Amino acid sequence: MTKRLALTLLVFSFLFAQADTLKNQSKESSFNHKPTVYKNKILSLSLQGHLGSLFATNFGVNNTFLGLSTSVTGKLDIYDNYQVGLGVLGAWNIFPYNEYLFDVSNTHFGYQSRQDVLNAYFRYINSNLTVVAGRYALEDIKTTKLAFDNDFIYGPLQGASINYAFKNSNIYLNYINSYLQTGILAGRIGSFMTTLKPFNPTSKDTFIGGEILSLGGNFSYKGFYISPWVLFNTHDLSSLGTSYFKPLVQAGLKSAYKFDFSLTSFSLTRLDVLFQANNLESYSMLSPSLATLIVFDEAFSFYYRAFAFELGGGFLASIAMPNLGKGAQSASQSIFALSDSTRFYGKYLNGIDYFKTGSITGYLFAKASTSRLSLQALAAFGTYKELSLALSYKLYTLKVEGIKRLSLDAGLAYSYASLSKLSFSLKHISDDNNALMAFTKLTF
């Protein structure tokens, strides 16, 4: 333990020494990190990765840890139509030094010393068609903003995807047979290093269930955007049935409208509606469980010189619907989602599932950012309550020929979250806690 800690401190001392030197070399900054690229007429090789540290606590001895996270990914483009990707990801717990940081009943961080292959895929692309198979993240291989779009699938997965693009639309099919849980939630500062549960049968059986098929399409026209989709999972973990084939079915509609007030200001109105049916075994004596999720979000964005601001609000409602044939509401359940694009921090910092049926909440938020600084604040009220503040600051960047090659970010986030609901026995159930997270991330 002493040697491991000493080595960790030595590595971080070296990194911060290099950071100071590089910071003096480059005072420039940019919003997007670009991978290092090597090219010739046939091949183009790009490399990128990160080295990060994460401290998190729920203000209890058993709920405090310090961990390291690192990844390296290479992408080889062959001509313009083929790409091969290969990458690895690792996480190591530094404090407390043991294999499992929390007991089974309290694993919302779940930070363990684990390593796995992050990317191992082959992709073919032409002007309209994209086909990819292996281990990959949909958001990393998009050809357009429309491709592979689903607000509840985000992060590294294992399977195959097909996307066919038209002028202002596309259709896609995703097959997912495993998922690498890293805790990443789109737009939430620090979530990319929250946990690591590898691609293996145990993680699959406890996190995603069975084989997943997702079919959908997207269409955009003059500020309007609409995306219908359906999802089928062969093994629903929340189903009360006893067989392996316990299907879960979802149908959803994502819609948005962007209105430009001027060249520097606009509004974005978003609406997600999802219907879910599970507990569908034909021989079961139980009625199917039905639920719906509605997420509405209204954001106003404007720019002033080097500053960007975003203000707005919205609401979330996760509702159990009447059981078929019984007229009574379903028992408490959760909406199945590999990730989500909401603005809440409570899932990964506090371990609270705001997709549980019975969750009805409204929220207000504000964001401010520059090329170096990002600040977020949110207040939610209802059966799910949250007060969260998150800050990320770019300590330095290094540019080579105008392209950012190295950057060091540091961040801090606090979240108070509470979930309460009225059960059918009229007993009041509540969970609440405070959580604090700090991280550093060196990106190359």
Side-chain angles (χ1 to χ4, degrees), residues 101-393:
L101 296 178
F102 309 113
D103 59 30
V104 176
S105 63
N106 197 11
T107 56
H108 43 268
F109 287 119
Y111 213 86
Q112 304 168 9
S113 293
R114 294 282 182 86
Q115 301 79 43
D116 207 344
V117 175
L118 173 66
N119 288 319
Y121 67 85
F122 175 79
R123 181 175 71 155
Y124 169 79
I125 180 174
N126 61 28
S127 58
N128 299 102
L129 178 67
T130 299
V131 180
V132 60
R135 294 182 176 181
Y136 55 95
L138 293 174
E139 63 272 13
D140 290 340
I141 59 170
K142 280 189 174 184
T143 54
T144 70
K145 290 183 179 180
L146 295 176
F148 310 109
D149 207 357
N150 188 313
D151 278 355
F152 306 102
I153 300 176
Y154 195 92
L157 58 88
Q158 178 176 283
S161 298
I162 300 174
N163 184 84
Y164 191 85
F166 304 90
K167 182 178 179 180
N168 294 313
S169 61
N170 73 290
I171 57 175
Y172 64 85
L173 174 66
N174 300 320
Y175 164 68
I176 304 170
N177 67 7
S178 193
Y179 186 75
L180 181 70
Q181 188 184 12
T182 62
I184 185 170
L185 294 170
R188 265 58 64 91
I189 291 174
S191 65
F192 48 80
M193 295 187 295
T194 307
T195 186
L196 179 56
K197 295 182 179 179
F199 290 110
N200 61 42
T202 301
S203 294
K204 176 180 178 178
D205 292 345
T206 58
F207 184 64
I208 72 169
E211 313 300 305
I212 296 174
L213 284 177
S214 173
L215 171 67
N218 307 281
F219 176 77
S220 64
Y221 180 75
K222 293 185 177 181
F224 288 94
Y225 174 88
I226 188 169
S227 175
W229 56 269
V230 293
L231 180 144
F232 178 80
N233 190 341
T234 61
H235 185 74
D236 172 34
L237 296 173
S238 64
S239 176
L240 299 177
T242 58
S243 67
Y244 178 79
F245 184 70
K246 303 188 298 182
L248 175 145
V249 179
Q250 292 180 337
L253 179 67
K254 173 183 176 181
S255 60
Y257 176 68
K258 181 182 178 184
F259 180 80
D260 294 312
F261 295 102
S262 67
L263 294 176
T264 59
S265 62
F266 64 90
S267 69
L268 183 63
T269 305
R270 296 178 52 200
L271 176 65
D272 263 324
V273 179
L274 181 159
F275 295 95
Q276 175 175 292
N278 60 337
N279 199 38
L280 300 173
E281 300 92 320
S282 59
Y283 57 85
S284 174
M285 298 300 294
L286 301 169
S287 295
S289 298
L290 303 176
T292 185
L293 175 71
I294 301 172
V295 182
F296 174 81
D297 189 271
E298 178 71 50
F300 298 92
S301 300
F302 55 97
Y303 300 87
Y304 178 74
R305 296 182 178 177
F307 296 90
F309 301 94
E310 187 178 45
L311 301 170
F315 69 84
L316 178 149
S318 180
I319 305 169
M321 301 172 65
N323 273 344
L324 294 179
K326 288 192 175 182
Q329 284 193 319
S330 307
S332 177
Q333 57 178 310
S334 182
I335 299 295
F336 173 78
L338 294 178
S339 183
D340 71 70
S341 62
T342 67
R343 301 178 183 272
F344 301 130
Y345 276 80
K347 182 177 290 185
Y348 91 86
L349 281 184
N350 306 90
I352 294 180
D353 184 5
Y354 37 74
F355 281 178
K356 282 281 189 183
T357 54
S359 299
I360 301 177
T361 185
Y363 60 90
L364 299 172
F365 65 87
K367 295 175 63 176
S369 61
T370 67
S371 59
R372 288 185 176 271
L373 177 68
S374 177
L375 179 64
Q376 304 177 9
L378 179 141
F381 41 88
T383 57
Y384 173 74
K385 300 178 179 65
E386 178 180 311
L387 176 62
S388 57
L389 298 170
L391 169 70
S392 178
Y393 184 75

Side-chain angles (χ1 to χ4, degrees), residues 426-437:
L426 301 182
K427 293 181 180 179
H428 192 259
I429 305 170
S430 66
D431 295 302
D432 60 78
N433 54 37
N434 297 273
L436 181 69
M437 175 274 295

Side-chain angles (χ1 to χ4, degrees), residues 189 391-395 408-412 439-441:
I189 291 174
L391 169 70
S392 178
Y393 184 75
K394 193 172 298 297
L395 297 176
L408 178 65
D409 296 83
L412 183 69
F439 75 90
T440 60
K441 183 183 181 186

Side-chain angles (χ1 to χ4, degrees), residues 35-48 73-87 119 121-125:
T36 302
V37 179
Y38 307 92
K39 291 183 177 181
N40 61 28
K41 294 182 179 180
I42 300 176
L43 303 176
S44 174
L45 175 63
S46 61
L47 297 171
Q48 61 185 132
T73 297
K75 298 178 182 179
L76 179 64
D77 289 280
I78 306 170
Y79 292 106
D80 295 325
N81 300 108
Y82 304 95
Q83 184 183 81
V84 178
L86 183 63
N119 288 319
Y121 67 85
F122 175 79
R123 181 175 71 155
Y124 169 79
I125 180 174

Side-chain angles (χ1 to χ4, degrees), residues 2-59:
T2 303
K3 291 182 179 179
R4 188 185 182 102
L5 184 58
L7 179 60
T8 302
L9 294 175
L10 180 62
V11 170
F12 272 90
S13 298
F14 172 77
L15 290 175
F16 279 100
Q18 293 298 309
D20 186 64
T21 301
L22 293 171
K23 186 175 180 180
N24 293 329
Q25 293 176 359
S26 175
K27 300 295 184 181
E28 296 179 308
S29 63
S30 65
F31 286 98
N32 299 314
H33 178 77
K34 302 295 183 181
T36 302
V37 179
Y38 307 92
K39 291 183 177 181
N40 61 28
K41 294 182 179 180
I42 300 176
L43 303 176
S44 174
L45 175 63
S46 61
L47 297 171
Q48 61 185 132
H50 83 276
L51 174 62
S53 62
L54 177 69
F55 170 81
T57 180
N58 284 123
F59 302 98

